[in-house]
Amino acid sequence: MDVDRHSPDLRQRLNSVRIVMVNTTLPANIGSAARAMLTMGLTDLVVVNPKHPIDENSIAHAAGAQSVLRDCRVVDTLDEALSDCQLVFAASSRQRHIPRPVVTPDEAAQLVLDRPISETKVAILFGREDRGLTNEELALADYHIQIDANPDYPVLNVASAVQVIASFFYSRFLHHSHSKLNQTNDTADKDGTDIEVMIRQKWDAPAVNQQQKQSLQSRIIELMHSLELVESTEHDKLRELPSRLSRLLSRLQLDQKEFELLSAIIAKVQRRL
């Protein structure tokens, strides 16, 4: 697939999506995922701490998508894979202890369209072949994606899951691009009144990325300990605190100015303790 033949709007949307594969066991699955990605116009692949490196099996299963493997980044930690992302989804077939909002692949694609196109890097996480993502990894996501499937056998291998979710993103992005082009043509002779609703918010500053959210979360926890808001004996609260704060920060959808404001407040309070 030649992504360059797409409209600039569609190409930018597709380029904003990163597929992140965590701790994969079979190199062939990385190649199959790369093939599924390119079929749907996605090219940004990051593999986190794979059990075996990308090899000839990966290349063979990638078929004509060797370019995705060639540009693939292999990193040691999930934090590295997500550090520059503002919106994170996790593919999950079940709810966990502190669940995130659950969306379908189509709803997830629409959530991306609701964000500013030039300021949103999106990551979609896929877990291990045998047990998926851990609770800690799922807690890094803003939303969980669940694929509608036969309840008697809701089983997809990782490459198939990539294919299904990517196809919804491609379809939704393509429809949006065509609608935007048609709307521009239909309203070219009007007075320019803006009635578009596909962007829910127009921020005056870019959204924070995952690294900044993690930093702010850690500083809040540190401050809470300093203020003795959580006692070391309150094991349940301590165990849930990172996930609760992570979910809260995801819902807030902070921008850079808000991040700087909260950081300044925390620093001021800490200096006065």
Side-chain angles (χ1 to χ4, degrees):
M1 175 181 295
D2 185 357
V3 179
D4 289 333
R5 297 174 64 183
H6 288 137
S7 70
D9 177 82
L10 176 56
R11 184 163 61 250
Q12 189 172 6
R13 287 291 183 189
L14 293 170
N15 289 342
S16 75
V17 178
R18 172 178 300 158
I19 299 298
V20 179
M21 302 179 70
V22 179
N23 204 202
T24 52
T25 299
L26 301 175
N29 282 336
I30 301 175
S32 296
R35 180 178 184 177
M37 286 173 60
L38 193 60
T39 301
M40 297 302 161
L42 304 181
T43 57
D44 187 354
L45 174 62
V46 176
V47 180
V48 179
N49 190 27
K51 293 184 179 179
H52 301 285
I54 294 173
D55 60 11
E56 293 300 320
N57 269 331
S58 306
I59 295 172
H61 281 77
Q66 289 92 342
S67 60
V68 176
L69 291 182
R70 184 178 63 245
D71 296 334
C72 171
R73 288 193 299 123
V74 179
V75 298
D76 293 328
T77 67
L78 189 51
D79 286 341
E80 291 179 77
L82 302 180
S83 64
D84 60 337
C85 296
Q86 287 82 28
L87 184 59
V88 179
F89 297 95
S92 174
S93 62
R94 58 191 182 278
Q95 287 279 15
R96 298 301 180 117
H97 178 54
I98 301 179
R100 291 297 193 271
V102 176
V103 296
T104 66
D106 189 55
E107 290 169 338
Q110 184 59 52
L111 286 167
V112 176
L113 290 173
D114 287 340
R115 302 286 288 265
I117 187 171
S118 61
E119 301 168 2
T120 304
K121 184 65 181 179
V122 181
I124 308 175
L125 312 184
F126 294 87
R128 300 154 189 80
E129 292 93 333
D130 57 345
R131 57 190 178 91
L133 296 162
T134 66
N135 287 343
E136 291 75 16
E137 291 160 351
L138 286 167
L140 295 175
D142 301 304
Y143 298 90
H144 292 173
I145 299 179
Q146 291 186 357
I147 298 170
D148 292 330
N150 175 9
D152 295 327
Y153 190 71
V155 180
L156 285 173
N157 66 38
V158 64
S160 295
V162 171
Q163 180 81 72
V164 171
I165 293 175
S167 70
F168 277 96
F169 273 62
Y170 182 84
S171 178
R172 176 66 74 166
F173 290 176
L174 182 64
H175 177 75
H176 171 82
S177 179
H178 287 171
S179 297
K180 188 173 182 179
L181 179 62
N182 292 336
Q183 186 177 51
T184 300
N185 293 336
D186 292 342
T187 61
D189 58 345
K190 295 186 179 180
D191 61 6
T193 301
D194 187 0
I195 59 172
E196 295 184 31
V197 295
M198 61 253 189
I199 296 178
R200 178 166 46 90
Q201 298 180 16
K202 283 194 173 182
W203 296 339
D204 58 349
V208 298
N209 58 39
Q210 187 70 18
Q211 187 175 40
Q212 290 170 315
K213 281 198 294 185
Q214 288 289 305
S215 171
L216 186 59
Q217 176 182 318
S218 297
R219 294 183 66 187
I220 291 172
I221 292 174
E222 181 182 343
L223 180 60
M224 291 179 71
H225 281 293
S226 299
L227 294 171
E228 298 182 348
L229 295 176
V230 179
E231 300 292 340
S232 59
T233 55
E234 299 177 286
H235 299 298
D236 289 342
K237 287 186 178 179
L238 285 171
R239 184 175 64 251
E240 293 187 355
L241 185 56
S243 290
R244 295 285 180 190
L245 281 173
S246 174
R247 188 168 65 179
L248 172 62
L249 293 174
S250 294
R251 287 204 308 269
L252 291 177
Q253 298 182 25
L254 297 172
D255 66 20
Q256 296 289 340
K257 291 182 179 179
E258 293 160 346
F259 170 76
E260 292 170 4
L261 174 63
L262 288 175
S263 296
I265 292 172
I266 293 171
K268 190 76 169 181
V269 172
Q270 287 176 326
R271 285 197 295 269
R272 294 198 174 190
L273 290 177

